[in-house]
Amino acid sequence: MRSIWRTLQQSLDKGLARDIALVCLADGVVGLSYGAISVGGGLDLWVPVLLSVVVFAGASQFLFVGIVAAGGSPIAATIAGLLVNSRHVAFGLAVSDVIGAGWKRLPGSHLMTDENVAFALGQDELKRKRAAYWICGIGIFICWNLGVLAGGQIGSVITDTDVFGLDAAFPAVLLALVLPSLRDKSTRTAAVAGVVVALAVTPFLPAGLPVLLALVGLVFYRTEQSPKKLPEAKVVV
């Protein structure tokens, strides 16, 4: 294990290591917000801590806690969390060779996040991709869980986290995740349709179900067809 860690360290330059450290620190702050919101919303401290260790998926964790704390069904919260994390299927295909083979598959898959996948795919050589993926993933895992633990302690003292705006972290994280995709017109149309459906049924349905009904927006998604190639004109001499 030491030789692997030493190899990873030698593959990172100072600039990349600094960027990874800043991302890990930012995720730790978001984790603090998540822990405070969870405990402030009435959950026991062990719930967000266990979710952070076992699930380790920030957006899904925020979604799960938000739905359950609002009185929604844990089943609906679990399904919504799985849908949010379904993007990891594509991530896994993209970084399969980066994670490595054998025993590395299991911990490497568990450490998969948007951030370390982005850092890995941004490198040219496989050695640097692997170093960025593992060091960023391990760093985020440590900072996130420490942040959740500290936030949970804060949430047990602060009864109303809304006063400090900590409740805004959840929609902010989800918005940050979907913003790049909204540049595509078809995706934007489907998202808007889903939002309209969810807002329309929110006053009448239990918490959690409007999120699932927002999938109706996928009906409005259209894949763009590539323009047909025109037959080449024959040159007659």
Side-chain angles (χ1 to χ4, degrees):
M1 189 68 186
R2 288 183 179 178
S3 61
I4 295 175
W5 184 254
R6 188 165 51 251
T7 302
L8 297 178
Q9 286 181 309
Q10 292 171 352
S11 302
L12 287 180
D13 55 45
K14 290 183 179 179
L16 181 57
R18 179 201 58 209
D19 293 343
I20 289 176
L22 290 175
V23 168
C24 293
L25 183 62
D27 279 5
V29 174
V30 178
L32 188 146
S33 170
Y34 166 70
I37 291 172
S38 301
V39 176
L43 296 178
D44 293 332
L45 177 60
W46 66 268
V47 176
V49 170
L50 182 63
L51 282 174
S52 297
V53 174
V54 177
V55 179
F56 186 50
S60 295
Q61 290 179 232
F62 268 112
L63 190 57
F64 182 89
V65 168
I67 292 175
V68 172
S73 163
I75 296 176
T78 301
I79 294 174
L82 288 173
L83 288 174
V84 170
N85 248 31
S86 61
R87 67 189 187 282
H88 281 208
V89 176
F91 288 173
L93 295 174
V95 298
S96 175
D97 57 333
V98 175
I99 294 176
W103 64 269
K104 299 173 187 173
R105 289 283 184 183
L106 184 59
S109 299
H110 189 59
L111 293 175
M112 185 182 296
T113 64
D114 302 65
E115 294 87 339
N116 65 343
V117 169
F119 272 116
L121 296 181
Q123 310 308 310
D124 296 326
E125 303 174 359
L126 179 60
K127 192 175 180 181
R128 284 175 58 85
K129 288 183 178 181
R130 191 163 291 167
Y133 182 88
W134 280 97
I135 291 182
C136 184
I138 293 172
I140 289 177
F141 184 82
I142 295 172
C143 292
W144 173 260
N145 282 284
L146 289 178
V148 171
L149 186 59
Q153 297 293 341
I154 294 173
S156 61
V157 178
I158 301 173
T159 55
D160 188 2
T161 54
D162 294 1
V163 175
F164 296 89
L166 295 178
D167 57 317
F170 168 52
V173 169
L174 292 183
L175 187 61
L177 287 173
V178 302
L179 269 181
S181 302
L182 295 181
R183 294 171 184 165
D184 178 69
K185 182 181 178 182
S186 187
T187 304
R188 192 165 59 246
T189 303
V192 171
V195 169
V196 171
V197 171
L199 290 178
V201 299
T202 293
F204 311 104
L205 295 179
L209 288 182
V211 177
L212 299 180
L213 284 179
L215 291 173
V216 173
L218 292 175
V219 175
F220 297 90
Y221 183 80
R222 297 288 184 275
T223 55
E224 294 184 1
Q225 296 181 349
S226 57
K228 295 181 179 179
K229 292 184 178 179
L230 297 176
E232 295 181 359
K234 294 182 179 179
V235 179
V236 179
V237 179

